[in-house]
Amino acid sequence: MTNITGEISKEDFVKSYALSIQKKEASIFVGAGTSIPSGNLSWTELIQPIADTLKININSYNDLVDITQYFLNDQAGNRNFINERILDSMSDQHNNNKTLQAISELPVSTFWTTNYDHLLEKYLEESGRKVDIKRNESSLTNSIRGRDATVFKMHGDKDDVNNTVITRDDFMNYTENHPNMSTALRGDFINKTFLFIGYSFNDPNLNYILGKIKKTNATNQRRHFCIVKRVQKDAPEYQDNDQQFHQDEVLQKYKVTDLNSYGIKTVFVDSYDEIPNI
């Protein structure tokens, strides 16, 4: 794939983001993909048993939060099975997670995450950081003295699993139910340069976050960055399926262009193993 609108080279990204770090204007947004090397499930894997229960082909849905909403409706609002899936899907075992280790060692003080696990916090603490964790609305009003890293867990924490954000209603009512977290997020989008790591283009979390970015400042957007794995023809899923490869390649092009409209430049990698070195 040739360079497309919204793509930035690794070298130009490093120069630009390093400058933001030096100016203390950098933030990192950590997605579910960063926890997979530690044994946690992807969003699709998390939702798969729920889709199976509903007899839904998960591959036919672009927005996985629809499936969790359908299941909740079917269960008359009982979240028990969904909560069990969240708890069963994650581990706080490190398993030598080089990406999170590299993230934790950067001189960045503000971290946002949609992850329910505790991996990011643990890596920051092991790097000698004093971490202030914002798990919910009430935690935003208190700060730890001497903190040098703040982690905003905008979709909740596994220790308070019943209040995690996972269904469509949770996402749609987020601003009303989490007004202080939403205000903090909008402020950081205006004042800081974000780096998104661990998000795929079909991650439902990213779509809702992008909506918040556009609402924050539609006319004078700050530039942000997102590291994405490039669609590759030799990937196992495209074996003997050229049509699917070409379709996904074109779709990736349009999605990168769409990200650019939100002020987010895409940094392509051929392997996620490149991220720690970057």
Side-chain angles (χ1 to χ4, degrees), residues 2-211:
T2 57
N3 284 11
I4 53 181
T5 302
E7 179 180 357
I8 184 172
S9 71
K10 300 182 188 74
E11 293 76 17
D12 288 343
F13 157 69
V14 168
K15 291 177 183 177
S16 182
Y17 193 67
L19 181 60
S20 295
I21 291 177
Q22 291 171 357
K23 294 166 67 177
K24 300 187 184 302
E25 295 178 352
S27 182
I28 297 179
F29 215 123
V30 176
T34 60
S35 295
I36 291 175
S38 293
N40 291 2
L41 302 182
S42 67
W43 252 86
T44 300
E45 292 169 329
L46 171 67
I47 304 301
Q48 184 70 63
I50 298 174
D52 292 343
T53 300
L54 297 174
K55 296 181 173 55
I56 291 176
N57 180 0
I58 199 169
N59 297 320
S60 65
Y61 272 81
N62 293 324
D63 199 337
L64 299 180
V65 299
D66 282 347
I67 296 176
T68 55
Q69 186 65 51
Y70 297 155
F71 184 84
L72 190 66
N73 296 344
D74 188 63
Q75 298 295 311
N78 188 335
R79 279 183 54 127
N80 185 59
F81 184 72
I82 293 176
N83 292 344
E84 288 181 354
R85 280 300 300 157
I86 292 173
L87 293 173
D88 291 344
S89 72
M90 63 188 62
S91 165
D92 286 331
Q93 298 300 314
H94 286 39
N95 293 344
N96 193 24
N97 192 316
K98 294 181 180 180
T99 295
L100 283 176
Q101 183 176 345
I103 289 172
S104 69
E105 293 173 353
L106 283 174
V108 173
S109 61
T110 304
F111 300 84
W112 285 82
T113 183
T114 51
N115 296 350
Y116 312 123
D117 61 54
H118 299 163
L119 286 168
L120 175 60
E121 302 96 292
K122 285 191 172 185
Y123 270 96
L124 286 167
E125 289 168 354
E126 289 188 357
S127 295
R129 314 287 288 276
K130 191 169 186 178
V131 185
D132 191 358
I133 304 169
K134 306 299 186 183
R135 294 184 174 90
N136 48 40
E137 287 289 289
S138 60
S139 64
L140 289 169
T141 60
N142 301 304
S143 297
I144 295 177
R145 182 175 297 178
R147 64 182 180 180
D148 57 6
T150 303
V151 176
F152 294 90
K153 307 193 74 168
M154 67 174 294
H155 288 165
D157 186 283
K158 70 174 187 176
D159 288 350
D160 185 21
V161 68
N162 203 52
N163 290 313
T164 51
V165 175
I166 193 169
T167 69
R168 188 178 63 237
D169 282 353
D170 293 335
F171 283 98
M172 298 306 294
N173 298 325
Y174 188 85
T175 301
E176 291 74 20
N177 294 335
H178 305 273
N180 295 329
M181 193 73 78
S182 297
T183 298
L185 180 62
R186 285 195 296 270
D188 275 357
F189 274 135
I190 292 172
N191 297 310
K192 297 182 182 296
T193 297
F194 274 75
L195 169 60
F196 292 86
I197 301 179
Y199 288 93
S200 65
F201 283 125
N202 60 357
D203 190 321
N205 289 310
L206 182 59
N207 296 330
Y208 287 95
I209 293 164
L210 293 181

Side-chain angles (χ1 to χ4, degrees), residues 212-223:
K212 292 178 176 62
I213 293 176
K214 185 157 279 190
K215 288 181 180 179
T216 297
N217 198 351
T219 57
N220 186 24
Q221 296 171 334
R222 192 181 186 97
R223 186 161 73 160

